[in-house]
């Protein structure tokens, strides 16, 4: 059994762990994401201590907030790029760990990692084409198309698609520093807090915020469904902890598609089509472990 390291590098916290698989995840540790000068040495120290107590690591997998460079042949592979998070632009994240710990590094976006975790052990097992969307402080999407992660110019940024915004219904201008009222700017947890003046998780289940939220998310989903034809959509993140959102969204998706896609998954089995992650809030860190496994296999 290979001992692997995993990092779920989120915008608010880094979750670090070591383990051999989903049933053996050890020493799960949370480090606040402050500055690279503060956070990265703490992550390094965590792994140095683990190596001392548990033995050598065979590889480390990282799922990171973006945008990041995921192109394996790029000179800046594993770097944070033009991220809106202050201080984190142009930081060689994967290279630092590789140099300091001399292990193979698997690297992808946080949402692609979570998607991979769900593919390996969760609700996307056996699926070739699916998406994983996280709705938290920000909105991100990843997944597989034809069994492969979506790569190209960079990686998908599904949270920043532009959607209709009716200012007479919702006068909130949006919160994205780049596009203002993109999907993330209208429907992230951050946007909800700005619009309603209180944290999303403090809004009661019957608050009108949720119908509006479901409408925006369903608009995003309809676009992804029409563009990528996913066999299933998995939705995680803090905002999705509001379970009433799932039924609101499912009926909105059906309504917006208006019987155009005449398939059972939309017409009669939508409860099984738009689902929460089976791995819950462990999808990201387990996905990072799966990335480590891939890096080890690529090395061998
Ligand atoms: Zn945006």
């Amino acid at each position: 059994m290979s001992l692997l390291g995993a990092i779920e590098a989120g915008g608010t916290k880094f979750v670090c762990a070591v383990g051999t698989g989903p049933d053996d995840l050890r020493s799960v540790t949370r480090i606040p994401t402050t500055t690279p000068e503060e956070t990265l040495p703490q992550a390094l120290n965590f792994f140095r201590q683990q190596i001392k107590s548990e033995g050598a690591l065979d590889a480390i997998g990282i799922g990171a907030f973006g945008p990041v460079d995921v192109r394996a042949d790029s000179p800046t592979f594993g770097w944070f790029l033009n991220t809106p998070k202050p201080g984190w632009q142009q930081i060689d994240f994967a290279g630092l760990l590789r140099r300091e710990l001399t292990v193979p590094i698997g690297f992808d976006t946080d949402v692609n990692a979570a998607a991979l975790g769900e593919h390996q052990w969760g609700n996307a097992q056996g699926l070739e084409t699916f998406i994983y969307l996280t709705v938290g402080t920000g909105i991100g999407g990843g997944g597989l198309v034809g069994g492969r992660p979506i790569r190209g110019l960079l990686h998908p940024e599904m949270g920043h698609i532009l959607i209709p915004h009716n200012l007479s219904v919702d006068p909130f201008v949006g919160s994205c520093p780049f596009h203002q009222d993109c999907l993330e700017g209208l429907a992230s947890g951050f946007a909800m807090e700005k619009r309603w003046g209180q944290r999303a998780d403090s809004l009661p289940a019957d608050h009108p915020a949720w119908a509006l939220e479901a409408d925006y998310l369903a608009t995003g989903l309809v676009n992804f469904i029409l563009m990528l034809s996913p066999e299933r959509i998995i939705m995680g993140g803090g905002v999705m902890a509001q379970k009433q959102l799932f039924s609101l969204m499912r009926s909105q998706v059906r309504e917006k598609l208006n019987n155009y896609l005449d398939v059972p998954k939309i017409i009669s089995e939508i409860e099984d089509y738009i689902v929460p992650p089976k791995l819950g809030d462990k999808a990201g860190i387990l996905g990072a472990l799966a990335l480590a496994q891939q890096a080890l296999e690529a090395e061998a």
Side-chain angles (χ1 to χ4, degrees), residues 114-115 117-119 122-125 127 130-135 140-142 221 230-237 240 246 249 272-280 283:
E118 284 290 313
H119 188 247
N123 277 336
Q125 287 176 75
L127 300 182
F130 71 96
I131 62 172
Y132 182 103
L133 208 68
T134 180
V135 187
L221 292 190
E231 298 163 278
R232 184 170 286 154
I233 296 172
I234 302 172
M235 298 194 69
M240 296 311 300
F246 277 93
M249 257 173 13
D272 187 46
Y273 183 62
I274 301 171
V275 298
K278 185 179 179 187
L279 303 176

Side-chain angles (χ1 to χ4, degrees), residues 86-150:
W88 287 82
Q89 295 87 2
Q90 313 303 325
I91 298 281
D92 178 11
F93 182 16
L96 175 78
L97 279 129
R98 192 187 301 107
R99 283 192 303 275
E100 294 290 325
L101 302 172
T102 54
V103 286
I105 304 286
F107 187 84
D108 212 325
T109 63
D110 46 4
V111 278
N112 268 344
L116 188 64
E118 284 290 313
H119 188 247
Q120 202 106 326
W121 300 297
N123 277 336
Q125 287 176 75
L127 300 182
E128 292 256 295
T129 300
F130 71 96
I131 62 172
Y132 182 103
L133 208 68
T134 180
V135 187
T137 313
I139 297 181
L144 302 183
V145 168
R148 302 169 65 93
I150 313 164

Side-chain angles (χ1 to χ4, degrees), residues 264-279:
K265 278 190 176 168
I266 306 284
I267 304 296
S268 56
E269 299 162 9
I270 200 161
E271 285 77 14
D272 187 46
Y273 183 62
I274 301 171
V275 298
K278 185 179 179 187
L279 303 176

Side-chain angles (χ1 to χ4, degrees), residues 160 176 178-179 182 184:
H160 294 267
C176 175
F178 289 85
H179 325 106
C182 63
E184 177 172 298

